Amino acid sequence: MTSKITRAIAASLALTATALGVAGCDSAAAGSLEGSRLELPVTGGTAVVDTASLAVTARTGDGRRLVLSEAAAGGLGKPGPVTRTADGARWSYPAKGLQVTARSERGRLRIGLWSDRDGSVSWPVTGTDPAASAVQLPRGEGLDIPVRDAFWNGKEGGLAGSTVDVGAELALPLWGYSMKGKGAAGHGVSYLAPTDIGTSLRFASSGGRLRATAGHAFSAGEGTRDYDITFALTDGNPVAPAADYRSYLSQHGQLGSLREKIRKNPANGRLLGAFHAYVWGEGRTASGVERLRKLGVDRMWLGYDAGPGGMDAKAVQAAKKAGYLVGPYDTFANGQDPKTADSPTSVWPDRVYPDFCVRKADGTPETGFGNRGCYLSSRAFEKAEPGRHYLADRTRKMVANGADSYFLDVDATGEVFRDHGKGHEMTKAGDRRNRLARMRRLAGNLVLGSESAQPWANRVLAFDHGSGTPVADGLWGLERDRETWGGYYPENAPKAFFKPVRLPDGLATAMYDPRYRVPLYETALHGSLVNAERWELSYEKLPRQKTTRALLAMLYNTPLNYVLDGPSLRQHGTELAALQQYFSPLHRAAGTDRMTSFRWLTADRTVQHTVFGDGTLTVTANFGTRAHDGLPGGCVDARLRTDAQPRRLCPARLGG
């Protein structure tokens, strides 16, 4: 590799010393104001806000001018007078009913809008700088997409022309851009959206380049009259926005610690080194657990659904004796008529259904997932819980077999509700608070996980299933095609989980092409919770992606997720054991550390490198077909600080 390429792509995550929230600027520094030009200090340079239009530029310390946002789309009207404040300025746009503040905050530029009426704004308008070379998007674990990439600018990529809900559809409330330029110094910008509810991000292809425009809906009823965006200058590393967000969470007391969770509940420590699996048939029995143990699997998280034939006390005891975690799948989100309910988790006593149904503005119930029953109001449950104990009674019943873990579906996802139901009205923010309250109660005694954990839940959860998967829209249509994907039969091994599937080429590219994958979620939250892929996308479900997924898991220090029954244990058990035995010591050593570096080692992005902690663990994965620096294609080298030589894994050679 030439030194030029090295300089261009080896910018690493030594970001704690760059622009990401460190004290390089005094929070009281008020900058300067000349006409409509407000200049404020940020780490790495100076931000310039045009108070007439909300256009934002920056001057970097090495003299570069960067466009951080064009003027607000659609215009804002004539601005009111600008008043200086201790750390910036405030002004208004009377025609839009907007009050604006701009200030320096811990090295970032923070702009806040407050509206006195319901309405919307399209801003910031990003990616318009001619030097913008790639956009970072936290879809699942994360993507870094070259702005001129034909796939993502075209119809097949499904991004251009789409709008994503920042609070509901992104794994982290952020996006970012990297900028090309002359010389060795890299540049980029991180955008954080602390007020993610009501905020969206619209992508457009303009001249064959991807642009992203944020939007916010101001609504008194939704409680979204405030809109804040922070801007930070970065070194252009593809995970820099996530490092910025981790700093933001830490500075605001919102970053969880897996070490602390283990201290409070030592059972959480058994997540370290564990693969995850939902078990069926023989996999739910003591003999199935014993088979895993004899294969040499020293840590597992075993989950099972709440239908007939769950794990009995004997199987649970065998799992705990083997050093495994074990727990049921449950959901507090669905209610159905007990006479016709299709799942025991949807059956509740008394009149929970239909009285607790989330109600729309017209009084009709919010239909549940898959048109099943209704979504249940977290506010209704919280009001009833002190006297009726519906949730506590449910949980007590579910873990009566001795289970020490719990998977609570959808509670930590981005999909939250406004409820108009009489007596249990709530906003989406209120729904989050209610869910956090009940998850916190569960986490006191159980190793708690949920689906696709949003960062607002990172302090209460120990693990999640789903945030590792960059879901593209085509996946849902494929999963609904029962002939191709498989249905929920036979009962002991539903084909929806066990039937191998070939992803269409476009979908495979959007989700698993390693050239686009970057660890945004792990950069932000590794060491806070353990993150895995969606449970219906088990390791064996997608045979063509197995090697890539194994390399990603080792590179990101995250567990693989399986579904297991008797036949799959016999067919794939040896391979699972080999993968888990490789992963276990690495995750035990670094699972509670932050990811401190990510970089590409080759210009084609196929060789990637990560570091955890202060060199606790370093990993290099070669997703290509040619050897790099002695590492064969399709293989990964991992090295603990105490290792004399790296540990090598070539997943495709394991068979199974």
Side-chain angles (χ1 to χ4, degrees):
M1 188 193 314
T2 67
S3 59
K4 182 178 180 182
I5 292 175
T6 303
R7 287 197 303 271
I9 64 178
S12 76
L13 237 177
L15 297 174
T16 51
T18 61
L20 302 181
V22 294
C25 301
D26 191 311
S27 63
S32 63
L33 176 67
E34 233 180 274
S36 66
R37 183 183 174 90
L38 173 66
E39 296 194 0
L40 293 170
V42 293
T43 308
T46 302
V48 183
V49 182
D50 182 357
T51 61
S53 66
L54 278 186
V56 183
T57 58
R59 291 193 314 273
T60 66
D62 60 357
R64 285 279 301 278
R65 180 184 181 274
L66 305 178
V67 178
L68 308 190
S69 174
E70 299 287 355
L76 297 167
K78 184 179 179 181
V82 181
T83 302
R84 299 306 308 279
T85 61
D87 53 2
R90 55 182 170 84
W91 65 98
S92 65
Y93 299 105
K96 295 280 286 186
L98 291 174
Q99 301 288 331
V100 185
T101 60
R103 65 185 189 273
S104 294
E105 182 184 271
R106 297 181 187 247
R108 302 179 186 86
L109 167 67
R110 184 165 187 149
I111 297 182
L113 281 67
W114 177 83
S115 178
D116 66 7
R117 65 198 69 167
D118 288 358
S120 63
V121 66
S122 294
W123 175 89
V125 181
T126 68
T128 63
D129 191 311
S133 58
V135 58
Q136 291 87 43
L137 180 68
R139 178 188 280 180
E141 182 59 68
L143 301 171
D144 177 273
I145 301 168
V147 296
R148 290 192 177 276
D149 190 273
F151 175 80
W152 292 102
N153 276 275
K155 184 177 180 181
E156 194 174 23
L159 189 59
S162 71
T163 300
V164 295
D165 185 322
V166 172
E169 297 177 89
L170 295 184
L172 306 167
L174 61 85
W175 72 103
Y177 274 89
S178 299
M179 311 286 190
K180 279 186 176 177
K182 297 179 181 178
H187 292 290
V189 58
S190 163
Y191 304 91
L192 307 184
T195 49
D196 58 323
I197 295 176
T199 300
S200 60
L201 197 59
R202 185 177 73 253
F203 288 90
S205 178
S206 177
R209 293 169 54 88
L210 284 171
R211 296 181 175 182
T213 300
H216 186 79
F218 300 102
S219 169
E222 295 284 358
T224 58
R225 286 281 183 86
D226 289 291
Y227 177 39
D228 283 8
I229 293 288
T230 75
F231 304 74
L233 301 182
T234 75
D235 65 358
N237 184 278
V239 297
D244 181 24
Y245 186 53
R246 184 183 181 95
S247 293
Y248 178 93
L249 290 175
S250 179
Q251 292 157 3
H252 290 80
Q254 297 170 8
L255 181 63
S257 164
L258 190 53
R259 283 193 184 98
E260 181 64 14
K261 293 167 189 174
I262 293 170
R263 188 189 67 79
K264 290 181 177 179
N265 179 6
N268 285 314
R270 280 182 277 147
L271 285 169
L272 298 177
F275 277 2
H276 294 225
Y278 282 91
V279 288
W280 306 78
E282 186 185 333
R284 297 182 176 185
T285 65
S287 62
V289 171
E290 182 63 13
R291 180 183 293 273
L292 271 175
R293 190 192 65 79
K294 286 183 176 179
L295 285 167
V297 176
D298 67 350
R299 290 278 173 94
M300 286 292 292
W301 178 91
L302 302 178
Y304 54 93
D305 69 355
M311 292 187 78
D312 61 21
K314 183 179 179 182
V316 168
Q317 182 58 32
K320 293 166 75 171
K321 186 177 179 181
Y324 304 166
L325 289 164
V326 59
Y329 163 98
D330 196 7
T331 177
F332 297 163
N334 188 255
Q336 299 180 43
D337 184 336
K339 297 176 182 176
T340 57
D342 58 11
S343 168
T345 60
S346 299
V347 176
W348 297 88
D350 305 330
R351 286 185 54 86
V352 167
Y353 179 86
D355 290 359
F356 285 19
C357 289
V358 170
R359 298 283 169 176
K360 302 176 186 177
D362 63 4
T364 59
E366 189 75 52
T367 304
F369 179 78
N371 295 315
R372 301 161 53 248
C374 72
Y375 280 102
L376 296 174
S377 170
S378 63
R379 175 63 178 152
F381 272 125
E382 286 301 287
K383 288 187 69 176
E385 193 63 12
R388 302 309 303 261
H389 315 304
Y390 292 124
L391 302 182
D393 288 348
R394 164 69 76 87
T395 305
R396 198 175 297 113
K397 179 180 178 181
M398 295 287 273
V399 299
N401 59 358
D404 51 7
S405 184
Y406 214 79
F407 184 83
L408 189 59
D409 200 15
V410 308
D411 253 37
T413 64
E415 186 178 36
V416 288
F417 296 97
R418 182 179 179 188
D419 187 3
H420 296 266
K422 188 175 181 180
H424 47 83
E425 297 89 348
M426 67 179 178
T427 63
K428 290 180 179 179
D431 195 5
R432 282 185 181 177
R433 289 192 295 271
N434 297 330
R435 295 181 187 207
L436 277 173
R438 67 194 190 189
M439 285 192 286
R440 191 172 290 111
R441 294 193 296 268
L442 285 173
N445 299 302
L446 296 163
V447 178
L448 182 64
S450 189
E451 180 187 350
S452 302
Q454 294 282 302
W456 50 265
N458 88 87
R459 285 175 292 172
V460 299
L461 292 180
F463 69 96
D464 87 272
H465 294 161
S467 287
T469 308
V471 171
D473 288 343
L475 179 65
W476 307 132
L478 183 63
E479 290 191 7
R480 286 192 293 269
D481 179 0
R482 295 302 184 204
E483 185 174 343
T484 301
W485 191 261
Y488 290 97
Y489 62 88
E491 186 176 293
N492 282 345
K495 290 185 177 180
F497 302 112
F498 286 89
K499 180 184 178 182
V501 168
R502 176 177 176 174
L503 294 178
D505 290 345
L507 189 56
T509 297
M511 293 177 63
Y512 290 111
D513 191 324
R515 295 173 300 168
Y516 304 121
R517 292 286 298 263
V518 291
L520 296 177
Y521 195 88
E522 296 315 309
T523 298
L525 294 176
H526 195 277
S528 172
L529 51 75
V530 175
N531 177 34
E533 286 215 59
R534 296 182 60 83
W535 76 313
E536 79 273 23
L537 296 177
S538 70
Y539 184 58
E540 300 293 343
K541 182 71 176 178
L542 308 174
R544 287 175 173 258
Q545 280 70 46
K546 282 179 62 173
T547 294
T548 294
R549 295 171 81 191
L551 295 183
L552 286 169
M554 304 310 159
L555 183 69
Y556 296 170
N557 200 227
T558 56
L560 291 172
N561 209 348
Y562 283 79
V563 290
L564 296 173
D565 67 345
S568 63
L569 271 171
R570 286 184 282 275
Q571 183 178 356
H572 305 299
T574 302
E575 180 188 20
L576 182 161
L579 289 166
Q580 192 273 333
Q581 288 162 7
Y582 181 86
F583 173 76
S584 184
L586 308 180
H587 196 235
R588 287 185 189 222
T592 58
D593 284 344
R594 63 174 294 200
M595 179 184 280
T596 45
S597 177
F598 170 80
R599 56 192 173 115
W600 297 301
L601 299 185
T602 56
D604 65 1
R605 300 183 170 194
T606 58
V607 183
Q608 303 178 15
H609 183 76
T610 54
V611 180
F612 297 85
D614 185 19
T616 302
L617 171 67
T618 59
V619 188
T620 302
N622 186 347
F623 296 94
T625 56
R626 299 196 307 182
H628 172 80
D629 199 20
L631 178 62
C635 298
V636 59
D637 274 353
R639 191 168 189 164
L640 295 174
R641 185 189 286 113
T642 54
D643 288 342
Q645 297 293 330
R647 307 165 185 230
R648 179 162 295 175
L649 174 72
C650 300
R653 299 178 189 174
L654 297 178

